[in-house]
Amino acid sequence: MTLAHSLFRKTRSLLLGAPTAGIGLDSPARGTTAALEWPRYAEYEPNLFVAPGEALSWVTARIEAWKQAQPGALSPGDRVLRLVGERGVGKTWLLRYLVEQDVGASPQRLYLDLERRSNYATPRAYLKGVQRAMGWRNRKGRTILLLDAVPHALDDHLRALEDSVLRPHLAVRYSLVIMALAHPSRACWRAPGLRGGDLFWMESFQQPQTNAQLAQLGRVGLCRYGLASAAVQDESGGLPLLSSLLARNDRAKAFEYFLDYCLSRVPAKERATVKRYLEAVCVLEVLEHARVDRALEAYYGHLPNIVGPLPSASEVRSALREHWFARSAPDVPGRIVLVKSVGRAAREVLKVRAPGCYVAMALAAHGARGMRR
């Protein structure tokens, strides 16, 4: 292996993560603290990909329109595409498919997992790594930049990426940016063009797609024997990641892994607090202040090892909304509800970890009918 090839492989691993073919435990990123370890079932595997039909058609049509347009014919905002949806809905897999399968995409294309920026000690080092990974793509010409896990808050690493890579590609080279947002209504960028653009909300799989997904898993020996596809669809709500976890693990472990995956996007210093908030209100669907207060009293009262003052309902609602574990109800303005998949995962984990606490919380929130949840 040449020195150049070795350097490219090292840089690619830091930017993209572990190779996608293997399934196992991924080591915590260098330079991070309290990183979660969980089976990386979300890593892209081409032989397990099931196309999210509408999303794939939407993005490939826009790639084709961009390719046909003359440079300068499209404004920067028209060259930014945003993919949003629940955690585990398949945004990452769609981006990786576009890169690795080249579905009509330009040969000049680059995928960046923005969570991997913490592998670099300084913004300058990160920028050098990105530019090295781009390699020959740094020549003149249009590029498709696929940005995964775009957070809602800007930091110095991302500021350097925006100033030195993204803005020049949009303003000068007429490139196309396709990004998967970690939060559906927030993006960290300062440039108006990067904050706008067309948006597609990715939906969970319907039963036929879940059937295809489980069939793919079964063909490579990754689906538990005798598993009913309809039962998986009912438990997962059609979320591809959760369906995959349920296919490979017992029910309790699957929900535990899914919750860990959701929490892995929360900064390490906030993760324990946000997890407690989520567990404290997981028996609720609507986060009304009075019900949140009762749930908090029940939760903190049954777990005496938790130190510190009792948080307010406003604190809890604000923190969960910031990380998109809670959202505004689409049909009732002003009403805050838990994201269903995350709330259910938290409930299932709490039932196993602290069943007495779960019972007390359900009774406090709903009375006897809460026990039927």
Side-chain angles (χ1 to χ4, degrees), residues 348-361:
E348 297 300 333
V349 170
L350 189 62
K351 284 180 185 179
V352 174
R353 185 174 69 84
C357 180
Y358 174 80
V359 169
M361 289 168 55

Side-chain angles (χ1 to χ4, degrees), residues 277 281 287-294 296 310-320:
Y277 290 173
V281 299
L287 302 185
E288 297 173 347
H289 277 82
R291 289 190 175 185
V292 171
D293 284 334
R294 289 198 297 270
L296 288 168
L310 191 71
S312 69
S314 295
E315 287 179 85
V316 171
R317 284 163 40 118
S318 177
L320 296 181

